[in-house]
Amino acid sequence: MVLREYMARMDGQDPEKALELLEPGIRFLIALPKGQRTGESREDFAAYITGRNAVDRVHEIIRHSVDGDVEMVYGFVVEAGVPTGAFLSAAVVSPAGLMARYQSFFTTDFNLVDRP
């Protein structure tokens, strides 16, 4: 599942390694409480990564699903051991096994599923 690997790389010491899992023309929407980030290229996504604040952050996936070329995950963002909110993310995977489209919603106000 490329979406799981993407999140593991985003949480790692070198988040830019996540770019290796993206198609050059990836289209994305990342909806955060402070606004949305969108783009239409790997370079746009690199700019998003560069602009993120460096914290001890982990995407704790508790649900996942695959339907054809679409992968979906649900979970919690945990920073320095404290849950800060929930995310619901989906990706369309290209025939090459890379993310061609990515959509993610993060909220600090609502949990669809309780954290174990």
Side-chain angles (χ1 to χ4, degrees), residues 23-72:
E23 286 288 351
I26 186 170
R27 293 174 39 205
F28 66 91
L29 165 76
I30 301 170
L32 304 167
K34 293 184 179 181
Q36 296 183 1
R37 293 293 305 262
T38 61
E40 296 187 2
S41 69
R42 192 182 290 156
E43 291 77 20
D44 290 344
F45 206 93
Y48 163 71
I49 291 173
T50 302
R52 293 174 71 208
N53 57 337
V55 295
D56 180 16
R57 176 187 301 119
V58 176
H59 291 81
E60 184 180 275
I61 298 170
I62 63 167
R63 298 282 197 278
H64 63 334
S65 178
V66 177
D67 183 11
D69 63 348
V70 176
E71 298 181 359
M72 292 172 266

Side-chain angles (χ1 to χ4, degrees), residues 14-27:
D14 186 6
E16 290 190 6
K17 287 193 173 280
L19 298 173
E20 297 169 357
L21 301 173
L22 310 180
E23 286 288 351
I26 186 170
R27 293 174 39 205

